[in-house]
Amino acid sequence: MSSERFLRILLPLLLVPSCSVKEDRTVCPCALTVDLAGLPVSPVVLRVAGEGYALTEVVHTDTVLVLPVPKGEVAVSAVGGALAEGDGSVRIPEGEEAPPLYLFHAAVSTDAEQVVLPVTLHKQFCSLEMLFKGPSGYGPPFEVVVEGFCGGWAPDGSPASGSFSRRLLPGADGRAVLRLPRQGDDSLLMHIVFSDQVVRTFALGSYIAAAGYDWSAPDLEDLTLTVDISLTSVTISSDLWTHTEEIELWI
């Protein structure tokens, strides 16, 4: 252990007011050890809040903090990969994709002299890779618009209501990647747009649900879809399902 890390652990302990055996120890603070080791991102903004107590600190991985916190309960959150609001929530700016958010949140009982809290950050976004295929010379460049009604995350990582919309232009290889925030329902939509005209709208959230995707998992998995566009139809498929709809294109 480096001397700097040792001091970060030792100094808060020295600052904790000592209580003798004869004193009422219920008024003594709890020494909360927050262990941030092996985090997937760095730096991380740590927030600890309790009755009459609040701390916000930017920390890096492999850090251990010992904090004198009030007895009772404190809320501990750690956010990496995104900027959080003052209350710990994260909002996605209009027209942007989700940030690569990793988050930890817990309500911690501090009715003890010492409590050790290991912090594990969880992946709060899904990288959706879409592979577009079409016949040679099938028309002008097309765009894809994905929209939904989860515009960020609450402080505990649950989906926060709000508008979400992201316009994508697939590359020359037909590939487009979009980071989606954690969803609370299956309301995601995907619009296929030719020359600023929506030619077909798909219930993307329902298709993702049909693939067995779990939006409530602690760490969200990434997902790949294949979208085959012909002159008469659009077919969306994953490993578990295929859906085709007829379209009309003026190209």
Side-chain angles (χ1 to χ4, degrees):
M1 179 183 296
S2 67
S3 59
E4 181 181 354
R5 184 178 178 184
F6 176 75
L7 289 175
R8 289 177 69 88
I9 299 174
L10 178 62
L11 184 57
L13 287 176
L14 296 177
L15 296 177
V16 175
S18 60
C19 294
S20 68
V21 176
K22 296 181 180 180
E23 292 177 316
D24 181 3
R25 301 182 66 85
T26 59
V27 301
C28 296
C30 167
L32 174 65
T33 300
V34 183
D35 187 353
L36 301 104
L39 300 180
V41 291
S42 183
V44 168
V45 176
L46 175 71
R47 288 182 172 85
V48 183
E51 185 175 356
Y53 179 90
L55 174 141
T56 299
E57 184 169 348
V58 178
V59 298
H60 295 267
T61 189
D62 296 327
T63 297
V64 177
L65 299 176
V66 181
L67 308 172
V69 300
K71 291 287 181 65
E73 183 176 278
V74 295
V76 180
S77 66
V79 177
L83 294 177
E85 304 289 337
D87 62 354
S89 64
V90 177
R91 295 290 177 178
I92 302 172
E94 186 173 352
E96 297 295 326
E97 65 179 338
L101 173 67
Y102 289 83
L103 185 145
F104 171 87
H105 180 85
V108 182
S109 173
T110 54
D111 285 328
E113 293 186 21
Q114 297 182 358
V115 174
V116 177
L117 178 66
V119 171
T120 300
L121 295 185
H122 293 288
K123 181 172 175 284
Q124 302 293 321
F125 64 96
C126 165
S127 287
L128 174 65
E129 181 179 31
M130 293 176 283
L131 303 175
F132 292 89
K133 300 178 180 179
S136 177
Y138 63 97
F142 66 92
E143 294 179 304
V144 179
V145 177
V146 176
E147 65 177 0
F149 303 98
C150 295
W153 300 263
D156 62 356
S158 60
S161 61
S163 61
F164 173 85
S165 180
R166 178 68 171 174
R167 182 179 291 262
L168 303 169
L169 179 64
D173 59 355
R175 180 175 178 268
V177 179
L178 169 66
R179 284 193 302 267
L180 295 171
R182 184 180 293 276
Q183 301 291 302
D185 54 32
D186 301 334
S187 61
L188 277 174
L189 299 174
M190 181 174 71
H191 309 291
I192 305 296
V193 180
F194 276 82
S195 301
D196 292 327
Q197 179 181 359
V198 176
V199 297
R200 181 59 65 192
T201 296
F202 292 89
L204 181 61
S206 297
Y207 303 151
I208 292 175
Y213 192 86
D214 184 8
W215 287 109
S216 65
D219 293 280
L220 294 181
E221 297 182 1
D222 296 333
L223 185 63
T224 299
L225 299 179
T226 299
V227 183
D228 194 344
I229 298 178
S230 73
L231 297 180
T232 59
S233 65
V234 176
T235 299
I236 302 178
S237 62
S238 73
D239 292 338
L240 298 179
W241 50 260
T242 298
H243 182 84
T244 301
E245 287 197 27
E246 301 302 313
I247 61 174
E248 294 183 12
L249 301 181
W250 292 270
I251 58 177

